[in-house]
């Protein structure tokens, strides 16, 4: 199922969940709207089209070590992206205007973006054409090592 703008649902942990009314919009950033639902947390919605293969937004946060994360309470282990060498990006958890907003993409087993990195950073890249109004959805399992994902 594609996440077309007229579809009032999205997939979250492989369950179809009705999309509730948007309670607030934090900001628009380069064609992506950061918004919060009444019953869901922060989400991303395209405000312009993104062709397959294009960069959608950057994944921004603080570099932390695996050892640091192991000492955190379970509730703090969110918005993590695993890098090589035992480092992780602890993605921003509250919207900050002017910053990449990749950490707010919701999970789907049928994503429309994938995590992609190079020497410049980590980004969300469109794996299908994304139309204005579609929700930006990523597969979280691809952002973490299997070992770390299983522990969260």
């Amino acid at each position: 199922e594609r996440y077309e703008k007229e579809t009032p649902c999205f997939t979250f942990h492989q369950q179809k969940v009705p999309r509730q009314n948007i309670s607030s919009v934090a900001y628009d950033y380069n064609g992506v709207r950061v918004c919060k639902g009444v019953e869901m947390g922060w989400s991303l919605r395209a405000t312009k089209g993104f062709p397959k293969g294009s960069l959608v937004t950057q994944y921004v946060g603080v570099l932390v070590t695996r050892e640091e994360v192991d000492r955190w309470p379970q509730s703090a282990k969110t918005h993590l992206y695993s890098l090589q060498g035992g480092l992780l990006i602890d993605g921003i958890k509250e919207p900050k205007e002017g910053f990449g907003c990749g950490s707010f993409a919701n999970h789907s087993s049928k994503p429309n973006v994938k995590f992609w990195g190079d020497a410049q950073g980590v980004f969300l890249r469109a794996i299908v054409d994304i139309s204005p109004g579609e929700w930006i959805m990523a597969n979280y399992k691809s952002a973490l090592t299997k070992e770390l994902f299983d522990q969260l």
Side-chain angles (χ1 to χ4, degrees):
E1 177 177 301
R2 291 288 309 273
Y3 308 98
E4 304 297 335
K5 58 185 171 183
E6 62 271 7
T7 303
C9 309
F10 69 101
T11 302
F12 187 76
H13 294 291
Q14 301 181 10
Q15 295 176 349
K16 205 170 186 183
V17 178
R19 171 56 76 178
Q20 301 301 318
N21 293 331
I22 294 173
S23 64
S24 63
V25 173
Y27 61 91
D28 290 341
Y29 182 75
N30 294 336
V32 177
R33 176 165 291 155
V34 181
C35 49
K36 193 169 196 173
V38 174
E39 294 181 15
M40 298 296 292
W42 293 106
S43 302
L44 300 180
R45 194 168 208 173
T47 58
K48 72 174 189 177
F50 291 95
K52 179 180 178 179
S54 63
L55 296 181
V56 175
T57 190
Q58 189 171 15
Y59 195 97
V60 176
V62 177
L63 282 177
V64 294
T65 65
R66 173 66 189 271
E67 291 75 26
E68 289 176 88
V69 172
D70 287 345
R71 292 190 299 267
W72 294 355
Q74 193 66 25
S75 61
K77 296 179 182 181
T78 64
H79 301 84
L80 295 170
Y81 181 87
S82 182
L83 300 169
Q84 294 179 347
L87 291 175
L88 296 101
I89 298 174
D90 180 23
I92 59 174
K93 295 172 178 58
E94 291 296 324
K96 295 180 183 178
E97 191 164 357
F99 286 83
C101 46
S103 60
F104 302 114
N106 281 312
H107 172 75
S108 174
S109 59
K110 297 178 184 176
N112 56 9
V113 296
K114 70 176 182 177
F115 294 95
W116 177 84
D118 67 8
Q120 302 299 311
V122 176
F123 302 87
L124 297 182
R125 182 181 287 272
I127 56 175
V128 296
D129 289 339
I130 299 172
S131 299
E134 287 188 63
W135 297 102
I136 306 297
M137 308 295 288
N139 186 323
Y140 290 171
K141 288 184 181 181
S142 68
L144 299 169
T145 62
K146 180 177 178 353
E147 174 190 3
L148 182 59
F149 186 84
D150 291 342
Q151 290 179 11
L152 297 179

